[in-house]
Amino acid sequence: MTIHKAAAIGGGVIGAGWVARLVLNGIDVSIYDPDPEASRKVGEVMKGARRAYKKMLPTGLPKEGRISYAKTIAEAVGGADFIQESVPERLDVKHKVLAEIDAHAPKDALVGSSTSGIKPTDMQPAMKRPERLVVGHPFNPVYLLPLVEIVGGEKTSKKFIERAREAYASIGMKPVVIRKEIEAFVGDRLLEAAWREALWLVKDGITTVEELDDIMRYSFGLRWAQMGMFQVYRIAGGEAGMRHFMAQFGPALKWPWTKLMDVPEFNDELVDLIAKQSDEQAGDLSIRDLEKIRDDNLVAIMDVLSRTNKGKGWGAGALHKDYVKQLSRLAAKGSNAKAEPTKTATPGKPKKKQKV
């Protein structure tokens, strides 16, 4: 599926990130967000995204798609073939918004939800055409991080799962279809586990916010940036690989190390402790300053990864390499160019043909 016109319902951090990725791929986007500050907030995200993309492609970016602001959901989704909903995480709000999208969008339009935890089956009762709803869960910043988790509900058709895969791939993303529907999907469930343990470690005075972040970014965070958990542990098993690692460290799973099934009381005292330490960690750096540092680091990491593996790239770097080439082609084609699917493959494995 090639996206010709998109609609973004919700222009917060995630919604604006979707707008930036789409627009910088030359796709027109109509936005609906009742927030009177929506235009300014989207503009700030666009400014950061343009800055990051210029670092990715210093020779010149594609002509941007047009951004327009609609007064109603009906106006925003009219004529759109791709719609991304990014409204607050409340099921009643999702139902209301999805019902309006469903009533006014073209009948074959793909509808993706950016929800970070609600199952699509729970959202589908609001729609007369539930077969076209998928969860398209991204990670912030959406315009740079390529992963999108695709989750279908009980009434989602295989046709729209495949269309979603093609649509997200066409704007340089790495779609992963989650095999079974589950709350919070995969990425956020892993993050939630780490977040719970981190809160305990800070609350109990074992470490501080800054020290914990340093422990992550100076060690396994660097490993995770280019290899996932299982591949890292396979190497840790030595020549015998994963079986040896499992045999050696498997018994530790029974030790009472973590508090994953418990959570510290979420009260003002805990919030003040975390917020105070976070303020001290940030120092004079504003949120915008931190966003720039984050984006610069992400572009640099992906650029380095794009040059490894004998020049073929590795992991997110392999996809980044292809995405930069795609943006270069769009820039060369000129104002009428639209994004086409990016062909990617897992390093070390033969490329497979995309299903049509």
Side-chain angles (χ1 to χ4, degrees):
M1 173 184 175
T2 299
I3 303 171
H4 297 284
K5 180 186 177 185
I9 309 302
V13 173
I14 297 300
W18 279 115
V19 171
R21 183 175 277 272
L22 290 160
V23 167
L24 290 171
N25 273 272
I27 298 167
D28 296 343
V29 183
S30 180
I31 304 169
Y32 172 75
D33 191 320
D35 182 356
E37 290 284 294
S39 177
R40 181 190 65 78
K41 293 176 180 178
V42 171
E44 288 292 334
V45 173
M46 284 298 309
K47 187 186 302 182
R50 289 188 188 101
R51 179 180 175 277
Y53 272 52
K54 286 177 182 176
K55 286 182 174 293
M56 286 166 49
L57 200 68
T59 55
L61 299 177
K63 182 177 180 181
E64 291 186 6
R66 292 171 296 178
I67 295 177
S68 59
Y69 290 86
K71 295 180 179 179
T72 64
I73 290 177
E75 180 185 344
V77 302
D81 53 5
F82 175 85
I83 300 157
Q84 189 73 25
E85 167 271 307
S86 306
V87 302
E89 292 285 270
R90 284 176 44 193
L91 189 56
D92 60 333
V93 174
K94 298 283 190 187
H95 279 173
K96 182 179 178 181
V97 168
L98 288 170
E100 285 198 59
I101 292 173
D102 194 46
H104 299 287
K107 63 180 182 179
D108 288 332
L110 172 67
V111 180
S113 175
S114 299
T115 179
S116 58
I118 301 174
K119 293 194 296 185
T121 292
D122 294 336
M123 295 187 285
Q124 287 176 325
M127 305 174 69
K128 293 182 178 178
R129 295 188 179 90
E131 71 278 359
R132 59 172 164 172
L133 175 70
V134 301
V135 163
H137 175 233
F139 289 78
N140 188 42
V142 183
Y143 52 82
L144 283 182
L145 291 184
L147 182 69
V148 56
E149 293 178 305
I150 298 176
V151 189
E154 291 177 0
K155 296 182 178 179
T156 305
S157 72
K158 292 182 179 179
K159 167 188 172 183
F160 279 99
I161 289 287
E162 189 56 36
R163 287 185 65 189
R165 191 202 300 265
E166 293 172 356
Y168 291 122
S170 78
I171 51 175
M173 304 191 82
K174 172 65 175 178
V176 175
V177 177
I178 305 304
R179 294 169 181 266
K180 293 183 179 180
E181 190 181 19
I182 188 173
E183 293 90 344
F185 325 126
V186 176
D188 277 354
R189 293 180 79 93
L190 293 171
L191 289 173
E192 173 71 8
W195 174 239
R196 283 174 183 260
E197 190 65 20
L199 290 177
W200 275 118
L201 291 167
V202 175
K203 178 184 181 298
D204 290 346
I206 295 165
T207 189
T208 66
V209 164
E210 183 171 8
E211 290 165 353
L212 190 141
D213 279 354
D214 283 347
I215 288 168
M216 295 183 74
R217 67 194 184 116
Y218 284 90
S219 63
F220 55 84
L222 291 172
R223 298 189 309 204
W224 286 355
Q226 43 88 33
M227 285 186 181
M229 181 183 295
F230 286 101
Q231 199 159 48
V232 164
Y233 285 166
R234 176 181 178 84
I235 295 171
E239 292 183 0
M242 182 59 80
R243 288 188 180 278
H244 177 67
F245 178 84
M246 295 287 284
Q248 185 173 2
F249 294 100
L253 295 173
K254 295 182 179 180
W255 299 346
W257 280 1
T258 64
K259 299 182 179 180
L260 296 184
M261 300 309 295
D262 195 6
V263 65
E265 183 181 353
F266 191 78
N267 53 28
D268 290 343
E269 183 180 359
L270 179 62
V271 172
D272 290 344
L273 175 65
I274 299 295
K276 180 176 181 296
Q277 291 188 11
S278 180
D279 289 343
E280 292 171 353
Q281 179 187 20
D284 295 332
L285 296 172
S286 69
I287 292 296
R288 296 303 175 199
D289 292 334
L290 290 170
E291 286 177 340
K292 290 177 182 177
I293 292 169
R294 175 201 65 190
D295 289 0
D296 287 350
N297 290 341
L298 288 173
V299 170
I301 289 168
M302 290 191 290
D303 182 61
V304 169
L305 289 175
S306 74
R307 299 196 297 269
T308 62
N309 193 26
K310 298 181 179 179
K312 293 181 288 186
W314 181 269
L319 181 63
H320 180 76
K321 186 185 184 95
D322 287 342
Y323 187 42
V324 171
K325 288 180 180 178
Q326 174 178 309
L327 292 173
S328 297
R329 290 194 299 268
L330 285 174
K333 286 182 180 178
S335 61
N336 293 323
K338 295 295 179 184
E340 296 177 356
T342 303
K343 296 180 180 178
T344 59
T346 302
K349 292 183 179 181
K351 294 186 176 182
K352 297 180 179 179
K353 293 182 178 179
Q354 278 192 327
K355 296 180 180 178
V356 178

